PDB file of all heavy atoms in Angstrom:
ATOM      1  N   ILE A  85      71.949  98.542  85.392  1.00 98.00           N
ATOM      2  CA  ILE A  85      70.866  98.975  84.462  1.00 98.00           C
ATOM      3  C   ILE A  85      71.357  99.158  83.001  1.00 98.00           C
ATOM      4  O   ILE A  85      70.685  98.754  82.071  1.00 98.00           O
ATOM      5  CB  ILE A  85      70.210 100.244  85.034  1.00 98.00           C
ATOM      6  CG1 ILE A  85      68.864 100.461  84.314  1.00 98.00           C
ATOM      7  CG2 ILE A  85      71.025 101.423  84.917  1.00 98.00           C
ATOM      8  CD1 ILE A  85      67.914 101.312  85.110  1.00 98.00           C
ATOM      9  N   PHE A  86      72.611  99.612  82.837  1.00 98.00           N
ATOM     10  CA  PHE A  86      73.170  99.792  81.485  1.00 98.00           C
ATOM     11  C   PHE A  86      73.510  98.454  80.868  1.00 98.00           C
ATOM     12  O   PHE A  86      73.330  98.220  79.714  1.00 98.00           O
ATOM     13  CB  PHE A  86      74.325 100.813  81.531  1.00 98.00           C
ATOM     14  CG  PHE A  86      73.828 102.286  81.572  1.00 98.00           C
ATOM     15  CD1 PHE A  86      72.539 102.577  81.722  1.00 98.00           C
ATOM     16  CD2 PHE A  86      74.781 103.307  81.493  1.00 98.00           C
ATOM     17  CE1 PHE A  86      72.159 103.948  81.726  1.00 98.00           C
ATOM     18  CE2 PHE A  86      74.399 104.623  81.625  1.00 98.00           C
ATOM     19  CZ  PHE A  86      73.113 104.965  81.818  1.00 98.00           C
ATOM     20  N   ILE A  89      70.328  97.164  79.591  1.00 98.00           N
ATOM     21  CA  ILE A  89      69.886  97.877  78.375  1.00 98.00           C
ATOM     22  C   ILE A  89      70.753  97.323  77.147  1.00 98.00           C
ATOM     23  O   ILE A  89      70.216  97.022  76.135  1.00 98.00           O
ATOM     24  CB  ILE A  89      70.145  99.465  78.492  1.00 98.00           C
ATOM     25  CG1 ILE A  89      69.037 100.061  79.443  1.00 98.00           C
ATOM     26  CG2 ILE A  89      70.141 100.148  77.172  1.00 98.00           C
ATOM     27  CD1 ILE A  89      69.129 101.476  79.776  1.00 98.00           C
ATOM     28  N   PHE A 108      72.307 105.218  73.292  1.00 98.00           N
ATOM     29  CA  PHE A 108      70.876 105.326  73.346  1.00 98.00           C
ATOM     30  C   PHE A 108      70.460 106.575  74.005  1.00 98.00           C
ATOM     31  O   PHE A 108      71.237 107.277  74.711  1.00 98.00           O
ATOM     32  CB  PHE A 108      70.340 104.080  74.195  1.00 98.00           C
ATOM     33  CG  PHE A 108      70.997 103.884  75.536  1.00 98.00           C
ATOM     34  CD1 PHE A 108      70.589 104.417  76.722  1.00 98.00           C
ATOM     35  CD2 PHE A 108      72.074 102.985  75.587  1.00 98.00           C
ATOM     36  CE1 PHE A 108      71.178 104.276  77.879  1.00 98.00           C
ATOM     37  CE2 PHE A 108      72.741 102.723  76.857  1.00 98.00           C
ATOM     38  CZ  PHE A 108      72.248 103.393  77.970  1.00 98.00           C
ATOM     39  N   LYS A 109      69.207 107.008  73.793  1.00 98.00           N
ATOM     40  CA  LYS A 109      68.727 108.292  74.276  1.00 98.00           C
ATOM     41  C   LYS A 109      68.612 108.247  75.761  1.00 98.00           C
ATOM     42  O   LYS A 109      68.095 107.232  76.296  1.00 98.00           O
ATOM     43  CB  LYS A 109      67.386 108.643  73.604  1.00 98.00           C
ATOM     44  CG  LYS A 109      67.502 108.945  72.152  1.00 98.00           C
ATOM     45  CD  LYS A 109      66.163 109.427  71.582  1.00 98.00           C
ATOM     46  CE  LYS A 109      66.368 109.755  70.011  1.00 98.00           C
ATOM     47  NZ  LYS A 109      65.135 110.214  69.416  1.00 98.00           N
ATOM     48  N   ASP A 110      68.952 109.307  76.432  1.00 98.00           N
ATOM     49  CA  ASP A 110      68.769 109.428  77.922  1.00 98.00           C
ATOM     50  C   ASP A 110      67.267 109.472  78.249  1.00 98.00           C
ATOM     51  O   ASP A 110      66.529 110.197  77.538  1.00 98.00           O
ATOM     52  CB  ASP A 110      69.447 110.738  78.429  1.00 98.00           C
ATOM     53  CG  ASP A 110      69.630 110.645  79.955  1.00 98.00           C
ATOM     54  OD1 ASP A 110      68.707 110.722  80.612  1.00 98.00           O
ATOM     55  OD2 ASP A 110      70.840 110.456  80.387  1.00 98.00           O
ATOM     56  N   ILE A 111      66.884 108.771  79.295  1.00 98.00           N
ATOM     57  CA  ILE A 111      65.506 108.593  79.661  1.00 98.00           C
ATOM     58  C   ILE A 111      64.953 109.935  80.244  1.00 98.00           C
ATOM     59  O   ILE A 111      63.775 110.272  80.209  1.00 98.00           O
ATOM     60  CB  ILE A 111      65.288 107.466  80.740  1.00 98.00           C
ATOM     61  CG1 ILE A 111      63.895 106.957  80.577  1.00 98.00           C
ATOM     62  CG2 ILE A 111      65.680 107.892  82.062  1.00 98.00           C
ATOM     63  CD1 ILE A 111      63.689 105.629  81.326  1.00 98.00           C
ATOM     64  N   ASN A 112      65.822 110.851  80.744  1.00 98.00           N
ATOM     65  CA  ASN A 112      65.461 112.141  81.388  1.00 98.00           C
ATOM     66  C   ASN A 112      66.306 113.236  80.787  1.00 98.00           C
ATOM     67  O   ASN A 112      67.216 113.762  81.481  1.00 98.00           O
ATOM     68  CB  ASN A 112      65.678 111.972  82.794  1.00 98.00           C
ATOM     69  CG  ASN A 112      65.185 113.174  83.614  1.00 98.00           C
ATOM     70  OD1 ASN A 112      64.381 113.926  83.154  1.00 98.00           O
ATOM     71  ND2 ASN A 112      65.724 113.358  84.799  1.00 98.00           N
ATOM     72  N   HIS A 118      70.268 114.353  74.020  1.00 98.00           N
ATOM     73  CA  HIS A 118      70.900 113.858  75.234  1.00 98.00           C
ATOM     74  C   HIS A 118      71.031 112.367  75.125  1.00 98.00           C
ATOM     75  O   HIS A 118      70.028 111.641  75.236  1.00 98.00           O
ATOM     76  CB  HIS A 118      70.231 114.240  76.485  1.00 98.00           C
ATOM     77  CG  HIS A 118      70.929 113.970  77.750  1.00 98.00           C
ATOM     78  ND1 HIS A 118      70.574 114.363  78.974  1.00 98.00           N
ATOM     79  CD2 HIS A 118      72.100 113.258  77.957  1.00 98.00           C
ATOM     80  CE1 HIS A 118      71.412 113.978  79.959  1.00 98.00           C
ATOM     81  NE2 HIS A 118      72.393 113.328  79.273  1.00 98.00           N
ATOM     82  N   MET A 120      73.286 108.791  75.764  1.00 98.00           N
ATOM     83  CA  MET A 120      74.310 108.037  76.604  1.00 98.00           C
ATOM     84  C   MET A 120      75.185 107.179  75.646  1.00 98.00           C
ATOM     85  O   MET A 120      74.636 106.404  74.909  1.00 98.00           O
ATOM     86  CB  MET A 120      73.582 107.052  77.504  1.00 98.00           C
ATOM     87  CG  MET A 120      72.733 107.552  78.634  1.00 98.00           C
ATOM     88  SD  MET A 120      73.720 108.159  79.992  1.00 98.00           S
ATOM     89  CE  MET A 120      73.788 109.859  79.584  1.00 98.00           C
ATOM     90  N   ASN A 167      80.764 111.913  84.113  1.00 98.00           N
ATOM     91  CA  ASN A 167      80.677 112.143  85.579  1.00 98.00           C
ATOM     92  C   ASN A 167      81.346 110.987  86.268  1.00 98.00           C
ATOM     93  O   ASN A 167      81.076 109.750  85.875  1.00 98.00           O
ATOM     94  CB  ASN A 167      79.230 112.255  86.044  1.00 98.00           C
ATOM     95  CG  ASN A 167      78.510 113.481  85.400  1.00 98.00           C
ATOM     96  OD1 ASN A 167      79.118 114.540  85.182  1.00 98.00           O
ATOM     97  ND2 ASN A 167      77.265 113.253  85.150  1.00 98.00           N
ATOM     98  N   GLY A 173      78.759 113.615  90.355  1.00 97.00           N
ATOM     99  CA  GLY A 173      77.355 113.438  89.938  1.00 97.00           C
ATOM    100  C   GLY A 173      76.974 112.197  89.268  1.00 97.00           C
ATOM    101  O   GLY A 173      76.005 112.023  88.588  1.00 97.00           O
ATOM    102  N   GLN A 174      77.950 111.139  89.346  1.00 98.00           N
ATOM    103  CA  GLN A 174      77.673 109.829  88.722  1.00 98.00           C
ATOM    104  C   GLN A 174      76.658 109.062  89.581  1.00 98.00           C
ATOM    105  O   GLN A 174      76.855 108.848  90.760  1.00 98.00           O
ATOM    106  CB  GLN A 174      78.973 108.998  88.671  1.00 98.00           C
ATOM    107  CG  GLN A 174      78.766 107.695  87.896  1.00 98.00           C
ATOM    108  CD  GLN A 174      80.021 106.804  87.862  1.00 98.00           C
ATOM    109  OE1 GLN A 174      81.044 107.152  88.521  1.00 98.00           O
ATOM    110  NE2 GLN A 174      79.948 105.774  87.153  1.00 98.00           N
ATOM    111  N   VAL A 175      75.550 108.716  88.887  1.00 98.00           N
ATOM    112  CA  VAL A 175      74.408 108.014  89.478  1.00 98.00           C
ATOM    113  C   VAL A 175      74.452 106.503  89.063  1.00 98.00           C
ATOM    114  O   VAL A 175      74.355 105.593  89.825  1.00 98.00           O
ATOM    115  CB  VAL A 175      73.062 108.629  89.150  1.00 98.00           C
ATOM    116  CG1 VAL A 175      71.962 107.739  89.674  1.00 98.00           C
ATOM    117  CG2 VAL A 175      72.987 110.032  89.673  1.00 98.00           C
ATOM    118  N   VAL A 176      74.720 106.306  87.752  1.00 98.00           N
ATOM    119  CA  VAL A 176      74.729 104.921  87.192  1.00 98.00           C
ATOM    120  C   VAL A 176      76.197 104.487  87.167  1.00 98.00           C
ATOM    121  O   VAL A 176      77.087 105.130  86.593  1.00 98.00           O
ATOM    122  CB  VAL A 176      74.181 104.872  85.790  1.00 98.00           C
ATOM    123  CG1 VAL A 176      74.295 103.521  85.178  1.00 98.00           C
ATOM    124  CG2 VAL A 176      72.705 105.314  85.851  1.00 98.00           C
ATOM    125  N   HIS A 180      79.911 105.990  81.365  1.00 98.00           N
ATOM    126  CA  HIS A 180      79.131 106.514  80.204  1.00 98.00           C
ATOM    127  C   HIS A 180      79.541 107.955  80.000  1.00 98.00           C
ATOM    128  O   HIS A 180      79.907 108.721  80.855  1.00 98.00           O
ATOM    129  CB  HIS A 180      77.564 106.463  80.504  1.00 98.00           C
ATOM    130  CG  HIS A 180      77.233 107.066  81.897  1.00 98.00           C
ATOM    131  ND1 HIS A 180      77.311 106.336  83.080  1.00 98.00           N
ATOM    132  CD2 HIS A 180      76.798 108.263  82.197  1.00 98.00           C
ATOM    133  CE1 HIS A 180      76.943 107.152  84.057  1.00 98.00           C
ATOM    134  NE2 HIS A 180      76.655 108.319  83.601  1.00 98.00           N
ATOM    135  N   HIS A 182      77.987 111.454  78.373  1.00 98.00           N
ATOM    136  CA  HIS A 182      76.793 112.210  78.059  1.00 98.00           C
ATOM    137  C   HIS A 182      77.142 113.008  76.799  1.00 98.00           C
ATOM    138  O   HIS A 182      78.071 113.792  76.776  1.00 98.00           O
ATOM    139  CB  HIS A 182      76.289 113.220  79.049  1.00 98.00           C
ATOM    140  CG  HIS A 182      75.956 112.566  80.441  1.00 98.00           C
ATOM    141  ND1 HIS A 182      74.611 112.586  80.834  1.00 98.00           N
ATOM    142  CD2 HIS A 182      76.666 112.040  81.408  1.00 98.00           C
ATOM    143  CE1 HIS A 182      74.581 111.982  81.998  1.00 98.00           C
ATOM    144  NE2 HIS A 182      75.770 111.676  82.404  1.00 98.00           N
TER     145      HIS A 182
HETATM  146  P1  5GP B 259      75.088 110.027  85.590  1.00 67.91           P
HETATM  147  O1  5GP B 259      74.328 110.962  86.490  1.00 67.91           O
HETATM  148  O2  5GP B 259      75.280 108.724  86.259  1.00 67.91           O
HETATM  149  O3  5GP B 259      76.237 110.619  84.958  1.00 67.91           O
HETATM  150  O4  5GP B 259      74.044 109.840  84.335  1.00 67.91           O
HETATM  151  C1  5GP B 259      73.127 108.712  84.331  1.00 67.91           C
HETATM  152  C2  5GP B 259      72.159 109.023  83.229  1.00 67.91           C
HETATM  153  O5  5GP B 259      71.467 107.851  82.877  1.00 67.91           O
HETATM  154  C3  5GP B 259      71.014 110.058  83.591  1.00 67.91           C
HETATM  155  O6  5GP B 259      71.174 111.158  82.774  1.00 67.91           O
HETATM  156  C4  5GP B 259      69.785 109.255  83.555  1.00 67.91           C
HETATM  157  O7  5GP B 259      68.685 110.067  83.050  1.00 67.91           O
HETATM  158  C5  5GP B 259      70.159 108.134  82.658  1.00 67.91           C
HETATM  159  N1  5GP B 259      69.311 106.928  82.895  1.00 67.91           N
HETATM  160  C6  5GP B 259      69.185 106.309  84.056  1.00 67.91           C
HETATM  161  N2  5GP B 259      68.445 105.179  83.952  1.00 67.91           N
HETATM  162  C7  5GP B 259      68.118 105.151  82.634  1.00 67.91           C
HETATM  163  C8  5GP B 259      67.329 104.123  81.859  1.00 67.91           C
HETATM  164  O8  5GP B 259      66.789 103.167  82.435  1.00 67.91           O
HETATM  165  N3  5GP B 259      67.319 104.380  80.570  1.00 67.91           N
HETATM  166  C9  5GP B 259      67.884 105.417  79.934  1.00 67.91           C
HETATM  167  N4  5GP B 259      67.741 105.518  78.659  1.00 67.91           N
HETATM  168  N5  5GP B 259      68.680 106.345  80.605  1.00 67.91           N
HETATM  169  C10 5GP B 259      68.777 106.232  81.911  1.00 67.91           C
END
Side-chain angles (χ1 to χ4, degrees):
I85 195 156
F86 283 1
I89 286 175
F108 48 88
K109 292 188 179 176
D110 196 290
I111 205 166
N112 184 23
H118 188 171
M120 292 283 98
N167 298 326
Q174 184 181 8
V175 174
V176 176
H180 52 277
H182 296 252

